[in-house]
Amino acid sequence: MTTATTKKTTKKKTTKKTTKKTTSTLARVDPAVLYISVTLSALFVAWGVFFTDSLATVAETTLGRIIDNFGWLFVLTSSGFVVLATVLAFSRFGSIRLGRDGERPEFSTASWVAMMFSAGMGIGLMFYGASEPIMHMSSPPPGSAKAGSEDAARLALEYSYFHWAIHPWAMYAVAGLALAYFGFRKSGNSLISSAFRPLLGDRVDGPLGKAIDILAIFATLFGSAVSLGLGALQVNRGLKEVWGVPDSTALAVSIIAVLTVLFVLSALSGVHRGIQWLSNGNMILAAVLLLFVFMTGPTVFILEGQTEALGGYLASLPKMSFTTGAFGGGEWLSGWTVFYWAWWISWTPFVGTFIARISRGRTIRQFIVGVIIAPSLVSVVWFAILGGTALNQEMHGGHLAEAVAKGEEAGLFATLQNLPWFPVTSVVVIILVGLFFVSGADAASVVLGMLSCRGSMAPGRLVVILWGALTGLVAAVLLLAGGLEAVKQVAIIAAFPFLFVMIGLCVSLVKALRAEPVPASSEAREGLTDAADAAGEPGPDDGVRPAEAMADSQPAG
């Protein structure tokens, strides 16, 4: 009798606990944002499944209109983000801390950079690290150099740096800074809409604010789907190169399904566990791969090529930044630069929110310099080694251009095939792509959960699982609708409306910062606290961080 009563009591407690968790999760959910965004996403998936040709046609037509009429706007605003980030970093606002005065950073600098890089563009670099320079060398910007020449090879590296270094990270920096400032300095939440309060006032709590958050969700969803599609195609090619498995769209969709399950599991473990561990592991394994290629490849050429291309990139940066194709070369620009700027903009709500989440306690100057400079240097080294090795092989009859023409995902494997230990390095690449896939996508599903749960740092587990599944479904549908081109097209279309959100975000941030009082002694205090940050020691006025700032963002409920 006693045992039965005990079991019954335990069962009641368990039921109450489960009910309490479910109620807590539902209380955090914003019904309007979640239901509308999920419904529209599900309709898109159904459209792609049942009317595949229609989706492909509409996407192609819409993309053409956006590029023809607004390509210049992507070019102009991307450069504007670079200028704004630079001005803020070196102005009086640079000493403002993202949190309470004296608050210390939550993560070490190494983990901070690793998580930024993995979330920001890790899988893209695996896909384009060798392929993009080869494609630029084979088809340089019109009027710039003869295809296949040494000048074309140099320009190939310069444009690769241009597309993957300062500009994209400046976009992430501006978005992340606005979210971190309003979230940690002004005690707001992690919603994109909350950063518009200086402009919209209390209207951010109404339909207008919800519309902004829904746009952010769509940009994140489709931007993440691009990366998942790239990763699936590259894993598919790796399986063919190593084990002779025929590559096919069906196999790519199966890969997306398997990796989607893995990244959802990682996302459920929270930032401090799954995402941080995977990001650190990614960087270590990527560093090993780069070191191997550097030592076994054309080492001297890599060093000389990086030096010359980096100088050319920095010297040509102003001209490259404002080229719109008005006087020729518009088609090339649309296929490369405008696509990249749109892709990065589609990632700004996701990467910006994620970077803001891991950057509490840093000053604005630390934040901007760290977000732009550190990952940009990694991108430069990445392309110098992988891209430089590929270019050197092509210049000496390696026939990489032929391999890349059959599929961009083949570039890295074709490059490694000309180096020692190809069976080993190709497996390393497959593992790296899988890890970048999981670490980037799990961060995206957590951010999507945050955006649909009123900015909660711990979105409900069911919500995270839902967004993880939808992200995988969207990527699979896009591959079925037209492969890589369909994935690229929808990314630009999704990014276009969010471009205007980014412009408003910048205006709101500047307006709020101009009203921020900056103590006269803040510069001296920042010098001391910066040194303390580097040494991992308490700085002046350092207080105990609130418990919620230290808490893991593990999804609840």
Side-chain angles (χ1 to χ4, degrees), residues 55-81:
L55 174 61
T57 302
V58 171
E60 185 175 356
T61 303
T62 305
L63 175 66
R65 291 177 179 174
I66 291 175
I67 294 298
D68 291 343
N69 296 300
F70 296 99
W72 63 271
L73 186 60
F74 282 103
V75 172
L76 186 62
T77 51
S78 64
S79 299
F81 297 140

Side-chain angles (χ1 to χ4, degrees), residues 285-427:
L285 194 57
V288 170
L289 177 65
L290 288 179
L291 182 62
F292 172 80
V293 175
F294 179 73
M295 297 300 294
T296 60
T299 306
V300 175
F301 176 83
I302 290 172
L303 295 172
E304 292 178 343
Q306 173 177 333
T307 302
E308 188 170 339
L310 182 59
Y313 161 60
L314 295 175
S316 305
L317 186 58
K319 180 181 178 181
M320 296 164 77
S321 299
F322 292 96
T323 299
T324 62
F327 304 103
E331 186 176 350
W332 188 94
L333 192 79
S334 299
W336 284 106
T337 304
V338 174
F339 159 68
Y340 272 127
W341 292 172
W343 189 16
W344 302 141
I345 287 172
S346 73
W347 270 53
T348 51
F350 149 46
V351 180
T353 301
F354 185 71
I355 292 176
R357 163 65 186 87
I358 63 177
S359 300
R360 182 170 191 146
R362 299 184 185 274
T363 64
I364 288 179
R365 183 171 297 116
Q366 290 173 340
F367 179 89
I368 292 176
V369 171
V371 170
I372 295 178
I373 300 301
S376 293
L377 289 176
V378 175
S379 296
V380 167
V381 171
W382 191 282
F383 276 102
I385 295 176
L386 295 183
T389 300
L391 290 172
N392 182 265
Q393 292 178 4
E394 180 66 15
M395 291 165 64
H396 291 84
H399 303 293
L400 268 68
E402 297 176 11
V404 173
K406 296 177 182 178
E408 298 166 36
E409 65 275 11
L412 182 54
F413 293 106
T415 302
L416 295 175
Q417 211 162 17
N418 295 319
L419 298 176
W421 300 352
F422 173 66
V424 176
T425 55
S426 56
V427 171

Side-chain angles (χ1 to χ4, degrees), residues 249-272:
T249 303
L251 180 58
V253 171
S254 300
I255 292 169
I256 288 176
V258 172
L259 292 179
T260 296
V261 173
L262 293 178
F263 82 67
V264 168
L265 292 176
S266 175
L268 292 176
S269 68
V271 173
H272 284 272

